[in-house]
Amino acid sequence: IPQDHLPSNKDPYHVQDHFVLMRSQEHGFPHLILINSHYYAFTKKHEFPWLLSVSFPYEPAEEGLPTSKKSDQLIAEEQKLLSLLSSVSKAYFIYRSTWNGTRILYIHLNNWPEIEYSFQNAFHQAFGQASFEIAYEKDWETVRAMLFHLKDAEQNMDP
C-alpha cells in the first residue's frame, strides 16, 4: 500500500502499519489474507462506520491464486482505488482476501453518504469488472472477527 494512501504521522487518527500475511485452506484452495493487525486496538472505530468491500475478479491460476503478472495488476488496481478514495474520504485499508479467483479489499470510511454518488460514478468508469458493497458497521463486526482470528492465531503460535 503506498504511503500516501495512509494517514500521516501528524494525523491524530494515525495507525502504524503492521501487515501480517495469513494463509489457510478453504474448500481445497489457498486463502491469503493480508491484514493490518494494529487496527485491533484502534480506538476511533466508531467514527468510521462504513465498510466498503471491493471485489476484483481474476482468472485463477494454479491453486486458485493469481499469476505473478495478474497479482501486479491487482496491486495497481488497489492503488488506483485507494487514490480515488483518498481524494473524497478518509479511508482505512484494513485487509484484503485473495481466494479462488477473487480479491476483496476491506476499507472503512467515515463519510459514505456524502461521497456515494460521486464514488459510484467514478468507480464504474475506472473498474469495469470490479464490484463493491457498502455496509454500516459501527462496531466493525466483519473486521473485528478477522482481527480476532489473527490475534488468536498469534497467541497460539509456537515460540
Side-chain angles (χ1 to χ4, degrees):
I1 306 294
Q3 291 300 312
D4 61 338
H5 297 303
L6 299 171
S8 73
N9 288 330
K10 297 175 186 171
D11 187 334
Y13 293 88
H14 176 73
V15 175
Q16 182 65 38
D17 294 333
H18 184 258
F19 288 98
V20 176
L21 179 63
M22 296 172 43
R23 183 183 176 116
S24 65
Q25 289 286 322
E26 192 171 329
H27 302 289
F29 293 101
H31 187 183
L32 302 178
I33 296 170
L34 181 68
I35 187 166
N36 188 341
S37 66
H38 284 184
Y39 280 104
Y40 189 82
F42 185 49
T43 61
K44 306 283 186 189
K45 291 179 182 88
H46 64 282
E47 294 182 33
F48 298 85
W50 298 100
L51 175 62
L52 175 67
S53 56
V54 179
S55 298
F56 293 97
Y58 61 86
E59 185 65 38
E62 190 175 328
E63 296 187 346
L65 296 175
T67 63
S68 177
K69 181 179 178 180
K70 187 52 160 177
S71 184
D72 290 344
Q73 291 171 346
L74 289 167
I75 290 170
E77 292 291 291
E78 291 172 23
Q79 292 173 351
K80 190 164 69 168
L81 173 67
L82 292 172
S83 180
L84 170 64
L85 284 171
S86 69
S87 70
V88 295
S89 180
K90 183 160 209 67
Y92 286 108
F93 170 81
I94 311 299
Y95 75 98
R96 76 175 183 217
S97 165
T98 305
W99 179 77
N100 197 24
T102 304
R103 175 167 289 173
I104 305 173
L105 285 86
Y106 296 87
I107 303 162
H108 265 278
L109 310 168
N110 65 335
N111 64 338
W112 177 253
E114 292 85 19
I115 69 165
E116 178 178 7
Y117 181 75
S118 61
F119 176 79
Q120 285 179 352
N121 288 336
F123 180 87
H124 291 301
Q125 289 177 1
F127 306 101
Q129 295 287 342
S131 61
F132 73 89
E133 294 180 9
I134 192 77
Y136 185 81
E137 291 194 3
K138 183 178 177 188
D139 295 322
W140 288 33
E141 296 89 358
T142 300
V143 172
R144 188 172 20 204
M146 184 56 62
L147 289 167
F148 177 78
H149 289 305
L150 172 64
K151 193 148 186 85
D152 186 51
E154 286 176 340
Q155 289 174 351
N156 292 318
M157 290 177 80
D158 293 329

